[in-house]
Amino acid sequence: MSTSSSRTARAAEQTGRPGLMLTLATIGFAVNFWAWALLSPLAVRFTAALDLTSFQQALLVAVPVVVGSVGRIPVGALTDRFGGRIMFPLVSLTTIIPVLYLGMFGHDSLTALLVGGFFLGIGGTAFAVGVPFVNAWFPPHRRGFAVGVFGAGMGGTAISALTTVKLVDAGSTSTPFLITAAVLAVYAVLAWTLLRDAPDRTVPTAPLATRLAATLRLKITWQASALYAVAFGGYVAFSVYLPAYLKTAYGLTQADAANRMAGFVLLAVIMRPVGGWLSDKVAPSRVLAVALGIVIAGAVVQAFTPGLAPLGTIAFLAMAAALGAGSGATFALVAQSAPANQVGSVTGIVGAAGGLGGFIPPLVMGSIYGQFQSYALGLALLAVVALAALLLDVLSVGRSTGRDNTAGGKIAHV
């Protein structure tokens, strides 16, 4: 009787626990991404104040992206070993340091901003903590949706876009940084108090270098990295560079451009769990194929710089929806295909590829505009890259996952 009661009590304790853990992880992702994106809304203002070139402006917003991207590789592997219960508070507390530095001391020169932006990239590594943490709490047939919901935390960039400029105007340059630091501190305490790793999660015992080497030998690592570099990389690139693009190409005010960028981000955020949910119902490769086709069409249309209302707006919103759904579908593929004890390591590498995919386009766009006074070539290049990703998806990913499913549903039950 007591044994039965104990099992019932444990079952009752676990009821709702995955949902709570998913909620806390998503909040943590959003808060850290909010910090990660603090420089982007202020890039135009810093450019005017410090007389930066278009390339320097692009570099300013790209540095946190590349650091946050590369940093996901060790952070993902560390999460496999130590769990999100430790890594979420640690990443959040560490991110407070560059946030306070930028707000109080580091915004008076390009060098200071680049140093602060470098360490601000730590906030971007939170993604590699959350995916393996959430993945361990859910069964295979629900992981696409769960990881997609967690991925909606990338909406933290929308929080930054909507509030940063307004807070600076209402207070000072320090105001948004001080508020974000306080929120990070509160979340770190909350995470340490409430987060729990899944009781049956697989903990690797091999050394970090050995685990990373094994991860690099997995086919899914390279396939998902290439696809995520386009899907999430495109989202990141637009989220950091879109305000500057809209201001330059269409003459919008800084506030109007930031608001429109927030709309782009919000739609992509909403579509990410949709992409994950659809991937639980049909093959992730099919969701990716549709998403990449839409990106190609939108980039081609926007290369001609059509009027913002309605064609330009439709093109950008279509690309936002497609990039969000494609990002969700890519990590549904990872959640379904990666070995359980390597999800964090795979996530780190794939997440790094996505972030690096967002690092390069702003620099390319800034350089192209500085050379030709036009963004057309940059958008045409986006269409070409998306086409290459589509061919990879159709000719490699779709066929390999189809064979695995035919062989007995191996991928779906890893």
Side-chain angles (χ1 to χ4, degrees):
M1 179 69 176
S2 60
T3 301
S4 176
S5 299
S6 176
R7 289 175 179 172
T8 302
R10 285 198 299 269
E13 181 183 357
Q14 294 301 323
T15 300
R17 180 66 68 86
L20 175 61
M21 295 301 105
L22 175 58
T23 300
L24 290 171
T26 304
I27 292 171
F29 182 26
V31 169
N32 279 279
F33 250 41
W34 174 8
W36 192 40
L38 279 171
L39 290 180
S40 176
L42 298 175
V44 174
R45 185 166 299 197
F46 288 137
T47 297
L50 302 175
D51 194 26
L52 305 181
T53 65
S54 59
F55 179 80
Q56 288 173 328
Q57 178 183 335
L59 184 64
L60 174 64
V61 299
V63 165
V65 174
V66 71
V67 175
S69 303
V70 175
R72 290 173 188 174
I73 297 175
V75 168
L78 288 170
T79 302
D80 276 340
R81 178 67 180 86
F82 297 106
R85 165 73 165 72
I86 291 176
M87 294 301 295
F88 257 126
L90 180 62
V91 168
S92 301
L93 287 173
T94 306
T95 303
I96 292 174
I97 298 172
V99 169
L100 288 177
Y101 166 78
L102 285 166
M104 300 177 69
F105 314 108
H107 54 260
D108 294 329
S109 71
L110 177 61
T111 301
L113 285 168
L114 291 177
V115 170
F118 181 91
F119 290 100
L120 193 65
I122 295 169
T125 67
F127 178 75
V129 178
V131 171
F133 176 81
V134 169
N135 194 71
W137 273 105
F138 288 85
H141 66 278
R142 295 183 60 198
R143 286 175 183 164
F145 176 71
V147 173
V149 170
F150 166 75
M154 67 186 189
T157 55
I159 299 174
S160 180
L162 289 170
T163 63
T164 302
V165 174
K166 293 182 177 65
L167 288 171
V168 170
D169 291 340
S172 68
T173 302
S174 300
T175 304
F177 294 91
L178 295 176
I179 291 174
T180 306
V183 174
L184 283 166
V186 170
Y187 176 75
V189 173
L190 185 69
W192 181 256
T193 304
L194 298 178
L195 280 183
R196 297 292 182 271
D197 289 305
D200 57 347
R201 82 179 184 92
T202 304
V203 180
T205 57
L208 176 62
T210 301
R211 287 187 283 125
L212 287 175
T215 300
L216 289 172
R217 290 194 293 269
L218 294 173
K219 186 176 182 181
I220 182 60
T221 302
W222 297 103
Q223 290 176 331
S225 293
L227 293 169
Y228 203 58
V230 178
F232 185 71
Y235 160 79
V236 171
F238 277 123
S239 67
V240 300
Y241 200 72
L242 194 55
Y245 172 87
L246 291 173
K247 184 176 184 298
T248 303
Y250 291 101
L252 301 185
T253 64
Q254 182 181 359
D256 192 11
N259 288 338
R260 290 175 184 270
M261 186 270 274
F264 180 97
V265 168
L266 181 60
L267 181 56
V269 166
I270 292 171
M271 289 303 296
R272 182 153 184 159
V274 173
W277 175 77
L278 287 172
S279 298
D280 285 337
K281 307 299 180 183
V282 299
S285 60
R286 295 182 181 179
V287 179
L288 278 160
V290 174
L292 291 167
I294 293 173
V295 172
I296 294 168
V300 169
V301 169
Q302 196 56 39
F304 294 95
T305 318
L308 197 54
L311 194 55
T313 298
I314 293 172
F316 274 120
L317 292 182
M319 285 192 288
L323 292 169
S327 297
T330 303
F331 267 95
L333 183 67
V334 171
Q336 293 174 12
S337 304
N341 65 344
Q342 291 179 279
V343 171
S345 298
V346 174
T347 295
I349 294 171
V350 175
L356 290 173
F359 170 74
I360 296 172
L363 296 178
V364 172
M365 294 288 278
S367 298
I368 288 175
Y369 187 82
Q371 184 71 27
F372 301 105
Q373 302 300 300
S374 171
Y375 291 113
L377 180 57
L379 287 158
L381 288 173
L382 171 61
V384 171
V385 171
L387 177 60
L390 177 60
L391 293 174
L392 170 68
D393 177 57
V394 173
L395 300 178
S396 179
V397 178
R399 290 183 179 181
S400 62
T401 55
R403 284 194 299 270
D404 287 334
N405 288 334
T406 301
K410 178 181 177 181
I411 283 181
H413 300 286
V414 170

